[in-house]
Amino acid sequence: MMRIDDFTLENWLNPACDSEKNKYYLGGSCVLPMTVEELFDLTGESMENFFEELKHMNLGYPRFEGTPRTRKALSKLYKNVEPDEVILCHGGTGANATVCYALIESTDNIISIMPNYQQFYSIPRSIGAELREVDLKIKDGYKLDLSEVRAAADKNTKAILFTNPNNPTGSVLSLEEMRELVEIAKSVDAWIICDEMYRGLDEEYMPSFADLYDKAIVTASSSKIYSMAGTRVGWIICHDAETRKRLFNWRSYDSICGGIFDEWIFAIALDHVDKIFERSRKIVNANKAVIDKWIEKNPYLHQYADAHGTTYLVHYDLDVPAEKFCDDLLDQKGVLVCHGDCFYIPHTFRITLSHAHELEEGLRRIDEYIDELVAQGKAIKN
């Protein structure tokens, strides 16, 4: 029987979110969700027409390959993608799982750039593939040493898997770094598999690996910067027709197709994606300014990455394990942040730049908690 690791992040964070103690939720990664009413106010679409169409919606299976309107709109998020190169899935996790199970075999080795989303190392390991980890350099701003990737790659390397912007740090590869990584992959005929869930928060166009490499497969979803996690629309971009057949085949075993309502309402957002991005940037940038000032004033906190996503990974100089730090913070102060052990980075926590209820009060309570730990002699002298 195939065994897979406990999904640390989801198994810890989701129950914590549901806890009655969770009064100040600062642990999420999705930009503040929209209501249906807000979506229509933002886009200028007619809600009356929407509900009239809803009355007559056929609730049978949608098209297997996905709603044409949605696939066309998604293809426009990239420079070199056609609608038939878009595969719709059930959420971003569905997209990532489909790619891993369809492509990776036990005889392969894969390179996982850490920190990473757990699907991109635990699923390959459960299949029996050899896992080769390359760590981002913390004090360099969570930058990638491409020479380490080159040294890890060989003729049996099936794929290089990572997130860009990175989850949880928000660091990004420059276009030059992306091109160099493509050359490394080409040299061993490996796939680049990139989770781009947080792509799109920059004012200027953020390059995608789908723009740069025929053997790139990228995934994304409606969850993070689109503020519509409940619609459960994920997608895979794949240029190679034969590989798309394999991906569709695996998805048939998993979910068959997407949800007709989900794809339909998400297409409305995509038709006005500039307005969605503008809203997300405004929310993230406002919260980022508050959190930057907060970290700057606290001598026990550090944030190293030039973050382009919706979260920071904050390092703390306190002799308390990350999970205990966050458990006690929730228990004692009602503040929920995500512990860094979920990403195998001790003495850290992930904090949202986006979905934050009463942000400043939550930050004040974290300061209060840290002051109490310092008074107990928990401070680490550097």
Side-chain angles (χ1 to χ4, degrees), residues 13-207:
L13 184 59
N14 292 330
C17 288
D18 293 337
S19 169
E20 293 182 357
K21 297 177 181 178
N22 177 20
K23 305 300 183 185
Y24 303 91
Y25 178 46
L26 308 186
S29 58
C30 297
V31 178
L32 185 66
M34 291 183 287
T35 64
V36 172
E37 184 177 37
E38 184 179 1
L39 172 64
F40 282 89
D41 286 345
L42 185 66
T43 61
E45 294 275 352
S46 168
M47 187 180 292
E48 290 74 20
N49 291 346
F50 168 78
F51 283 120
E52 187 61 33
E53 290 182 49
L54 186 61
K55 292 179 186 178
H56 306 288
M57 178 179 284
N58 187 315
L59 296 179
Y61 282 114
R63 294 178 62 158
F64 171 74
E65 69 276 11
T67 306
R69 179 182 176 186
T70 311
R71 297 175 84 199
K72 182 178 180 180
L74 288 170
S75 71
K76 292 180 179 179
L77 299 175
Y78 309 87
K79 289 185 175 180
N80 299 311
V81 173
E82 299 297 326
D84 65 1
E85 296 175 325
V86 179
I87 299 173
L88 295 180
C89 299
H90 182 79
T93 51
N96 286 343
T98 297
V99 172
C100 289
Y101 284 120
L103 262 68
I104 296 170
E105 301 173 278
S106 61
T107 53
D108 299 327
N109 70 61
I110 65 101
I111 297 170
S112 181
I113 296 174
M114 304 291 284
N116 206 342
Y117 196 56
Q118 190 170 344
Q119 286 182 299
F120 277 0
Y121 50 90
S122 285
I123 292 179
R125 187 159 52 204
S126 74
I127 293 168
E130 178 191 351
L131 182 67
R132 299 178 178 181
E133 297 182 4
V134 175
D135 294 322
L136 299 178
K137 305 304 177 188
I138 296 175
K139 295 298 177 68
D140 292 336
Y142 281 95
K143 300 297 286 183
L144 179 62
D145 186 337
L146 288 158
S147 66
E148 292 187 2
V149 181
R150 188 175 290 106
D154 63 28
K155 64 181 181 180
N156 292 322
T157 301
K158 174 63 71 69
I160 304 168
L161 296 91
F162 54 101
T163 60
N164 189 58
N166 179 257
N167 180 13
T169 70
S171 66
V172 293
L173 298 170
S174 68
L175 182 57
E176 293 73 20
E177 289 170 323
M178 292 171 72
R179 286 172 172 157
E180 186 172 347
L181 191 59
V182 166
E183 291 306 313
I184 293 171
K186 284 182 178 179
S187 71
V188 294
D189 194 31
W191 292 90
I192 283 179
I193 299 174
C194 185
D195 170 329
E196 295 181 344
M197 304 291 167
Y198 300 91
R199 172 178 171 266
L201 281 177
D202 287 359
E203 292 288 343
E204 65 277 6
Y205 177 81
M206 183 179 286

Side-chain angles (χ1 to χ4, degrees), residues 215-230:
K215 289 193 69 172
I217 296 178
V218 303
T219 59
S221 83
S222 59
S223 298
K224 306 305 179 184
I225 65 172
Y226 299 92
S227 303
M228 298 177 69

Side-chain angles (χ1 to χ4, degrees), residues 301-312:
L301 301 178
H302 314 280
Q303 194 283 124
Y304 296 107
D306 178 17
H308 295 251
T310 64
T311 62
Y312 275 167

